[in-house]
Amino acid sequence: MYTVIAMPGHLDCHVTEANLPLSVFFEENKELFGCQKEYLPVRMVVGNQIKDLSVQVHPDDEYGMAHSHMRGKPESEWLLGDGEGTMILGHHAKTKEEFIKLAENKEWDKLFRKIKVKGGDFIHIPQGTLHASQGEGCCVAFSTNGDVTYRLYDYDRKDSSGKLRELHVQNVYDVVEVPDENKNPIQVSSHFVNGLQVAEFFDEPGLYTCGNIKSDTSGFFERKEFYFLTCIEGEGKICDRKIKAGQTFFVPCNYGPVEISGVMTIAYISYKDDKK
């Protein structure tokens, strides 16, 4: 479920009260966002995975625009639930030549780096990182507002017409990070602020800021930047307006304290301009 995405002609959330695509809402109300970008810079997706995803990478914006006419993306995953599993994160090749050789020989067990993951983990996946979620489970994916994915391996699955799904092997060779065998889930701690349990997962100006908020009764949350709130579970109110699982609210920049009440878990994404 795309809770926040604004890519005209591709994927574009609908802003109900304004009756506009999110990309148009951004264009017509930039003062509510207060950032220097010419397009909405962030994206958030809630996913319910039922089988292994393809082994893939995302390029940087320059490569994505040059080769696929669309921006790439660094992304992150916050794993929901309390189960355990595995994912592919990085690889064991020491050089690009070794990576290509192992891939061409389909020596996946030697190439893919598998790590253990569990519910509550947060995994940051920079551009160029080989990765794949495995098994079943739910997650919230945070990223910049791009949508280019290059597949290296897809378990020889076929599409609805019986053809093998498209791979992008040369693109993967071009952009994959080598070496890459040191990334791991990030241990995230939460703290109580104004009656709410808040965890900030990731915060990098020019990319995105994300985290979660848990409410047991009521409290207040505030950021000077714009942000989006998506209810992951439970129900309650945002400033006296009802919200339930699956719904997303937008809060403009410099809005001030927002009252959050009810019993629920919320994911949020925001953005800070890069001042460099």
Side-chain angles (χ1 to χ4, degrees), residues 116-128:
K116 293 182 179 180
V117 294
K118 63 183 183 303
D121 281 350
F122 176 78
I123 301 99
H124 180 50
I125 306 170
Q127 293 153 320

Side-chain angles (χ1 to χ4, degrees), residues 43-259:
R43 156 181 165 153
M44 182 162 57
V45 178
V46 180
N48 182 16
Q49 183 175 316
I50 58 174
K51 58 184 177 181
D52 294 351
L53 296 185
S54 61
V55 183
Q56 57 189 246
V57 298
H58 307 300
D60 61 23
D61 288 356
E62 182 179 2
Y63 187 96
M65 291 298 294
H67 293 81
S68 302
H69 310 293
M70 193 177 293
R71 294 181 295 273
K73 59 177 180 178
E75 67 175 349
S76 306
E77 292 183 2
W78 170 39
L79 306 184
L80 305 177
D82 55 8
E84 297 183 349
T86 61
M87 76 174 292
I88 294 169
L89 188 66
H91 56 84
H92 297 300
K94 301 298 189 291
T95 65
K96 184 67 70 72
E97 291 74 17
E98 182 184 7
F99 185 98
I100 293 172
K101 180 179 179 181
L102 291 172
E104 289 182 344
N105 292 334
K106 301 186 184 302
E107 296 183 80
W108 307 126
D109 288 342
K110 292 183 179 180
L111 180 61
F112 298 154
R113 175 178 178 262
K114 294 185 178 182
I115 63 169
K116 293 182 179 180
V117 294
K118 63 183 183 303
D121 281 350
F122 176 78
I123 301 99
H124 180 50
I125 306 170
Q127 293 153 320
T129 301
L130 193 73
H131 64 282
S133 298
Q134 298 188 299
E136 299 180 0
C138 298
C139 76
V140 180
F142 310 92
S143 72
T144 57
N145 198 14
D147 200 40
V148 179
T149 297
Y150 296 134
R151 298 190 194 107
L152 175 67
Y153 177 61
D154 194 41
Y155 309 95
D156 297 322
R157 289 185 288 219
K158 297 180 179 180
D159 61 22
S160 58
S161 64
K163 295 180 180 179
L164 291 174
R165 295 179 71 196
E166 182 181 7
L167 301 178
H168 317 90
V169 176
Q170 185 57 55
N171 300 110
V172 173
Y173 294 164
D174 288 346
V175 304
V176 69
E177 181 179 341
V178 180
D180 189 10
E181 56 179 347
N182 293 312
K183 296 184 177 80
N184 288 294
I186 298 171
Q187 301 300 313
V188 178
S189 59
S190 61
H191 52 283
F192 279 93
V193 181
N194 297 323
L196 301 171
Q197 188 174 344
V198 180
E200 185 172 86
F201 299 151
F202 182 79
D203 178 28
E204 185 169 336
L207 293 183
Y208 55 90
T209 301
C210 65
N212 75 13
I213 304 164
K214 293 186 179 181
S215 170
D216 291 326
T217 53
S218 66
F220 293 87
F221 184 74
E222 182 176 9
R223 296 188 63 86
K224 68 176 182 179
E225 302 86 12
F226 78 86
Y227 55 97
F228 293 88
L229 300 169
T230 294
C231 183
I232 302 303
E233 61 179 3
E235 60 183 16
K237 293 182 179 181
I238 308 292
C239 292
D240 292 326
R241 300 195 59 181
K242 292 182 179 180
I243 187 172
K244 60 183 179 180
Q247 293 182 326
T248 299
F249 280 20
F250 166 67
V251 181
C253 61
N254 300 312
Y255 185 84
V258 169
E259 185 176 10

